[in-house]
Amino acid sequence: HLVQSGAEVKKPGASVKVSCKASGYIFTSYGLSWVRQAPGQGLEWMGWISPYNGDTKYAQILQGRVTLTADTSTSTAYMELRNLRSDDTAVFYCARIMGALLLDYWGQGTLVTVSS
Amino acid sequence: EIVLTQSPGTLSLSPGERATLSCRATQNIRNSFLAWYQQKAGQPPRLLIYGASKRATGIPDRFSGSGSGADFTLTITRLEPEDFAVYYCQQYATSPPTFGPGTKVEIK
């Protein structure tokens, strides 16, 4: 079970940090990916984190603007996206990695709207 | 990066009919690491099929996946009203994992 934080409205140039609280499994036993979906569009992988050791990998297109972290004491993962632009408006999902980069359980999604 | 294309873009069918969705990759997908997800409006994607043909937990057997190499198919044998949704394929063999653009299955 993955529960994400609520919707956000941000101005261009700002940052947003979305949380994803895991329950029902051992947090450090599975990686977590983040995927975004612009309105009416498809799914775009953003990166993944291993809560076990903090290893991360990011999509090249977001390199330098996104940071994934995980707090094992609260079983919560975070996605921070900086220097927001209007085309970052999207629903952001966290998803558990079952193996390789297969995503078996997804959070409910967090809508981030970037608008001046 | 492996690019996935899905066809058709939209499939208009009636309940009870058979749906056949295609997913094609720009290169062979190692180990058939190809998954299918279903997404309904306002909901997150739900994993249906992984490893090209294995049903995820709780997925009805009217959903089946097949294929290998660079060509994969999702078949829904008899469409139920709750099956009308958008379906995405995803390859997870190589990083970055990539998704197809989706096939919308709509009620005719």
Side-chain angles (χ1 to χ4, degrees), chain A residues 4-116:
Chain A
Q4 299 183 221
S5 50
E8 304 255 18
V9 179
K10 296 290 183 181
K11 293 196 183 303
S15 299
V16 69
K17 194 169 187 176
V18 178
S19 66
C20 169
K21 184 169 177 60
S23 63
Y25 72 94
I26 298 171
F27 184 59
T28 50
S29 294
Y30 296 84
L32 279 168
S33 260
W34 289 83
V35 175
R36 69 177 177 177
Q37 185 171 37
Q41 302 300 308
L43 302 165
E44 179 185 27
W45 180 77
M46 299 177 67
W48 72 270
I49 183 167
S50 165
Y52 174 73
N53 59 14
D55 281 353
T56 54
K57 183 158 187 176
Y58 302 114
Q60 199 158 8
I61 195 170
L62 292 171
Q63 200 89 27
R65 286 207 301 138
V66 66
T67 301
L68 303 181
T69 54
D71 182 345
T72 55
S73 68
T74 58
S75 298
T76 303
Y78 298 91
M79 184 282 300
E80 182 181 31
L81 188 60
R82 298 177 293 279
N83 195 18
L84 289 166
R85 309 186 291 243
S86 57
D87 62 357
D88 289 318
T89 294
V91 175
F92 291 79
Y93 295 103
C94 61
R96 192 179 77 164
I97 298 173
M98 181 172 133
L101 285 166
L102 174 66
L103 309 176
D104 62 349
Y105 290 106
W106 295 60
Q108 83 276 19
T110 297
L111 174 62
V112 176
T113 303
V114 183
S115 172
S116 54

Side-chain angles (χ1 to χ4, degrees), chain B residues 19-39:
Chain B
T20 303
L21 288 67
S22 172
C23 177
R24 191 159 286 174
T26 50
Q27 60 191 83
N28 284 350
I29 296 176
R30 163 178 73 80
N31 296 328
S32 293
F33 278 1
L34 190 285
W36 291 92
Y37 299 86
Q38 175 194 69
Q39 187 178 34

